Amino acid sequence: MKVSLNKIMTKGKALYLAYDQGLEHGPESDFNDKNVDPLYILDIAKKGKYNGIVFHKGIAEKYNKEIRKSKVPLILKLNGKTNLVTGEPKSAVISNVKEAIKLGAKAVGFTIYIGSKYEEEIIEEFEGVQREAHAKGLPVIAWIYPRGKKITNDVSRENMVYAARTGLEVGADIAKVKYGGNAEDLAWAVKSAGRCKIVIAGGVKKSEKEFLNQVRDIMDSGASGLAIGRNIWQSKAPLELTKKIRKIV
Ligand code: FBP
């Protein structure tokens, strides 16, 4: 079944604000006094006219009234993990499609670690999520990150392209992959993903100039947009930066 991406894209392009780092990285490494507050992030998403905001279940529940009022499309991330565990990665499932719909989500997100010892289980879990989401007309965004003992460079050409193609093969509508910095490699990844759209993660905070140059390369490579967090909400001027990024996208 083909689901509509109209609620989370504008003319085939998208800018998403990611805020799952509280669980994925922990507050100490990523947050300050301001951006520790989900309402500060929601305000950026609203004023910056983001195509979606990514929250885990707890924030989506506890701030639901404000999320709905903001009209920013909620992308509920259904699994997650802390960075306290070392070794082969696997995210715990913390919510499901039914809950996502109840919370007003316009799409669901799910992390797949290809190359992990647990890859088989992860892809099988994804299968259930994808099937149920599509039955309900909900788009699925897969965070696809090559990880595990065998992966020495998660953003090598080979791994980035493999992540992108995995998105198409497993039935994601959008695959979020990391960009290694080579535009030609990314163009090949976008091509490999076929009708599965590619959005790029932001990574650690960079200078504005460096980040905007990267955004230009990303969009020139044919990607559909970005799903970024730290580079925006760690910025001193998130809305001005958003405007510049939006113009490129
Ligand atoms: P950033 O733009 O802050 O890098 O966020 C993108 C993202 O995919 C988040 O959604 C996620 O929490 C994080 O990166 C995971 O990154 P990693 O697994 O490398 O720590």
Side-chain angles (χ1 to χ4, degrees), residues 18 20-21 24-25 143 145 147 176 178 201-203 228-230:
D20 55 343
Q21 292 84 349
E24 300 288 341
H25 300 157
W143 277 228
Y145 295 153
R147 292 279 161 86
K176 172 172 172 174
K178 290 199 183 196
I228 50 180
R230 288 166 286 181

Side-chain angles (χ1 to χ4, degrees), residues 12-108:
K13 301 283 181 244
L15 195 51
Y16 304 119
L17 195 58
Y19 192 66
D20 55 343
Q21 292 84 349
L23 180 63
E24 300 288 341
H25 300 157
E28 197 54 31
S29 74
D30 285 8
F31 295 164
N32 61 28
D33 233 28
K34 261 189 182 170
N35 60 31
V36 70
D37 180 2
L39 292 179
Y40 173 72
I41 308 300
L42 186 61
D43 193 54
I44 298 174
K46 183 178 179 220
K47 292 184 178 145
K49 299 190 176 70
Y50 278 79
N51 292 98
I53 186 153
V54 178
F55 287 140
H56 282 130
K57 166 182 169 167
I59 294 181
E61 279 183 354
K62 298 228 170 8
Y63 299 81
N64 200 256
K65 202 174 85 194
E66 290 90 344
I67 297 168
R68 285 182 192 266
K69 205 172 148 218
S70 76
K71 302 250 174 14
V72 179
L74 169 65
I75 298 165
L76 191 74
K77 186 139 164 286
L78 301 184
N79 64 352
K81 65 165 188 56
T82 71
N83 70 1
L84 300 174
V85 183
T86 45
E88 298 291 304
K90 180 181 188 306
S91 294
V93 174
I94 50 181
S95 188
N96 56 50
V97 170
K98 225 185 242 162
E99 275 179 356
I101 292 168
K102 244 197 231 157
L103 289 165
K106 301 293 180 275
V108 291

Side-chain angles (χ1 to χ4, degrees), residues 184-224:
E184 245 174 63
D185 292 352
L186 181 57
W188 175 227
V190 169
K191 189 152 195 197
S192 300
R195 290 186 179 165
C196 169
K197 303 202 179 297
I198 295 296
V199 297
I200 303 296
V204 292
K205 176 97 173 64
K206 299 166 193 70
S207 76
E208 184 171 309
K209 195 170 157 211
E210 193 187 339
F211 192 62
L212 289 173
N213 281 338
Q214 188 176 309
V215 173
R216 263 178 224 110
D217 286 349
I218 287 169
M219 296 315 293
D220 286 348
S221 304
S224 298

